[in-house]
Amino acid sequence: MAIRAELTTAVRRGLTVWRRSIQVRVVASTVLLSAAVVSVVGWFLLQQTREGLLQNRVDAVVAEARNETADARSRLAAAPGNNADAPGQQQELVEPIIDRGATRGFAVVLSPPVGSGLDLATGGTKFTPRLDKATVPAKLEETFSKPSPTSWTYTRIRTTGSNAGLTPGPGIVVGSQLTLPADGETYTLYYIFPLEEESETLALVTRAMLTAAVLLLLLVAGLSWLVTRQVVTPIRMARMVAERLAAGQLQERLRVTGEDDLARLATSFNQMASNLQRQIRQLEELSRLQRRFVSDVSHELRTPLTTVRMAGDVLHDARHAFDPVTSRAAELLQTELDRFETLLADLLEISRFDAGAAVLETEDVDLVDVAHRVADMTKALAAQRKTRVLVRDPGHPCLAEADVRRVERVVRNLVTNAIDHAESGDIVVHVAGNEDSAAIAVRDYGVGLAPGESAMVFNRFWRADPARARTSGGTGLGLSISLEDTHLHGGWLQAWGRPGEGAQFRLTLPRRLGHKLRHSPLPLVPLDAEVSA
């Protein structure tokens, strides 16, 4: 198991390097293609070398066999004992050739008379000592079963013991026929020549070519590594500078050397970085001015708003003494003052988030209690919309280290938003938790969200339908503030919706502040939506 784990780890590391390194991919591809080309060329050269060596050897041994046969005919013709018996002439024919073969490195087999019905295995043949007669192929023996010209074929030399002149291995058999004067019969002489020298030469050439191929591939790998390094190094520098720019180090620039394409690329990159730096600084200054403006306006409006609020409260308390039109105007004034105060509070909260001044007052918060409290607080508003807020909890506490005021505000914003879009359907608040996180999901069955709107729903003052009124008196900043509160806790606030099937917003918080979330105990897509799909 340990070896398998190490192998798996090595494979993963190799795949990671392959995916991330252009240089490794280029070098590996170049080496593989070069190896393929070298293999094809090497195989072709080896085939040509082998055929050349064998052809030269065949020409030499056929010529030598013919010379031996011609010499044997001359000796038989010139011998004084032409009237000797056939066995004597056979002995006189074969013995000199066997002796010369022992010194020149070939063997001889004399076959029975042609047409006698005997073969090498059963006939009274004469041959070089300790040579296996099965060395002569049956197909070649069949060729010389009748008078035939000189022929040859490849074979494998076999011996029955130690033979100083022959070594078992590949060889060539040359057959040649002659006629003995003593009996007028035709006999076949088989000359067996080894290919040991040619095999050694071919093995030497193969080793030399393999060595050259390995050295060539190493050279190609080194050259391709150096060449790609010249291209990849500036790209890596550009990547590192781009990462520093993305991290906020806007002063980083590439070093420009030379006048080639990479130098012009570096120049263009530096110009782009300078333009981005200038525009980002302009945007930062504009954002700073905008935050300062919102903060100043919000603070400056509090004093006159307090005065207007006091006057409005006086008018609202005395509305029963007014005529109906004036009384209604006083009620509308009170309602709009409430909404204006809420908007001003939201603007101040947004300005604190933008300035990075928002802080958490954490404690162990039970999301089940939060869900029930919010459901009770919004019961009257839900009744006005002819809907209900239902809480489905697991029956045990779902704790998370959080700021209870901010979490309650997030859940309240989600529920009131659901009431605005519920279309008289019930609103279901799901609560769940596990060892790592706790979550609340608010599900409504109203108009839903169109594709792409789930990413825009948290934008400030965004509306899916601009003509739709906010019955809950919202300011358009509730979901934006909820998202900032969630990020302050290191949590997730996500939305799902489908036109005509409603929407679901899911809040996920880590059990301990600072822990990284990996998954949520509640699904983002509701189960009833998956079934209907």
Side-chain angles (χ1 to χ4, degrees), residues 317-365:
D317 293 340
R319 68 185 184 280
H320 299 293
F322 300 149
D323 59 85
V325 175
T326 307
S327 177
R328 178 59 179 164
E331 292 177 353
L332 292 176
L333 177 63
Q334 188 74 6
T335 302
E336 292 305 317
L337 281 174
D338 291 340
R339 185 171 182 274
F340 190 68
E341 278 190 332
T342 303
L343 176 60
L344 187 60
D346 288 347
L347 287 173
L348 288 172
E349 188 69 21
I350 285 290
S351 66
R352 281 193 287 270
F353 281 122
D354 291 339
V359 294
L360 293 176
E361 297 178 2
T362 60
E363 58 182 293
D364 285 338
V365 178

Side-chain angles (χ1 to χ4, degrees), residues 139-385:
K139 190 173 182 180
L140 183 63
E141 186 179 355
E142 183 180 352
T143 301
F144 287 103
S145 61
K146 56 183 181 299
S148 301
T150 301
S151 298
W152 66 274
T153 187
Y154 293 111
T155 187
R156 185 147 195 95
I157 299 174
R158 300 179 180 87
T159 60
T160 59
S162 177
N163 190 317
L166 289 178
T167 302
I172 299 175
V173 179
V174 182
S176 183
Q177 291 182 333
L178 52 73
T179 303
L180 290 183
D183 55 7
E185 295 288 346
T186 299
Y187 293 83
T188 303
L189 282 171
Y190 296 101
Y191 302 92
I192 295 95
F193 296 90
L195 293 174
E196 184 177 0
E197 293 184 1
E198 286 71 18
S199 299
E200 293 177 354
T201 302
L202 189 62
L204 178 62
V205 172
T206 302
R207 289 193 297 271
M209 293 186 68
L210 286 175
T211 303
V214 171
L215 294 177
L216 179 62
L217 291 178
L218 291 176
L219 179 62
V220 168
L223 290 177
S224 59
W225 182 271
L226 292 176
V227 171
T228 54
R229 183 180 178 84
Q230 294 179 357
V231 178
V232 171
T233 299
I235 296 176
R236 288 177 177 170
M237 294 298 298
R239 176 184 60 81
M240 290 187 289
V241 172
E243 290 176 351
R244 296 192 188 105
L245 288 174
Q249 302 178 22
L250 302 179
Q251 74 282 357
E252 289 291 331
R253 296 294 184 271
L254 283 175
R255 185 176 60 185
V256 180
T257 56
E259 299 179 356
D260 55 9
D261 294 335
L262 292 175
R264 291 199 294 272
L265 174 63
T267 302
S268 301
F269 184 92
N270 290 338
Q271 292 175 354
M272 179 189 68
S274 298
N275 293 333
L276 286 176
Q277 183 181 15
R278 183 172 59 256
Q279 293 178 9
I280 289 174
R281 286 179 175 174
Q282 291 175 355
L283 291 174
E284 287 177 346
E285 181 66 19
L286 180 61
S287 177
R288 187 185 66 81
L289 292 175
Q290 181 183 9
R291 293 195 302 268
R292 181 66 179 269
F293 174 77
V294 172
S295 178
D296 291 345
V297 168
S298 301
H299 282 88
E300 292 298 328
L301 285 176
R302 292 187 68 86
T303 300
L305 179 61
T306 302
T307 303
V308 174
R309 162 61 73 182
M310 293 173 63
D313 289 342
V314 171
L315 292 175
H316 187 265
D317 293 340
R319 68 185 184 280
H320 299 293
F322 300 149
D323 59 85
V325 175
T326 307
S327 177
R328 178 59 179 164
E331 292 177 353
L332 292 176
L333 177 63
Q334 188 74 6
T335 302
E336 292 305 317
L337 281 174
D338 291 340
R339 185 171 182 274
F340 190 68
E341 278 190 332
T342 303
L343 176 60
L344 187 60
D346 288 347
L347 287 173
L348 288 172
E349 188 69 21
I350 285 290
S351 66
R352 281 193 287 270
F353 281 122
D354 291 339
V359 294
L360 293 176
E361 297 178 2
T362 60
E363 58 182 293
D364 285 338
V365 178
D366 185 1
L367 296 189
V368 175
D369 292 342
V370 172
H372 284 286
R373 283 200 303 271
V374 172
D376 293 338
M377 285 187 292
T378 57
K379 183 181 298 184
L381 180 62
Q384 293 177 7
R385 295 284 294 174

Side-chain angles (χ1 to χ4, degrees), residues 366-379 387-396 398 411 415 426-432 439-443 522:
D366 185 1
L367 296 189
V368 175
D369 292 342
V370 172
H372 284 286
R373 283 200 303 271
V374 172
D376 293 338
M377 285 187 292
T378 57
K379 183 181 298 184
T387 184
R388 298 180 302 169
V389 179
L390 307 177
V391 178
R392 294 180 180 174
D393 58 72
H396 57 78
C398 296
V411 178
V415 172
D426 288 341
I427 297 166
V428 183
V429 180
H430 299 273
V431 186
I440 291 181
V442 180
R443 174 78 162 107
L522 289 174

Side-chain angles (χ1 to χ4, degrees), residues 105-117:
F106 65 88
V108 181
V109 177
L110 178 65
S111 73
V114 175
S116 64

Side-chain angles (χ1 to χ4, degrees), residues 483-495:
L483 184 63
E484 296 293 343
D485 281 332
T486 304
H487 288 168
L488 203 61
H489 287 84
W492 298 337
L493 183 58
Q494 300 161 298

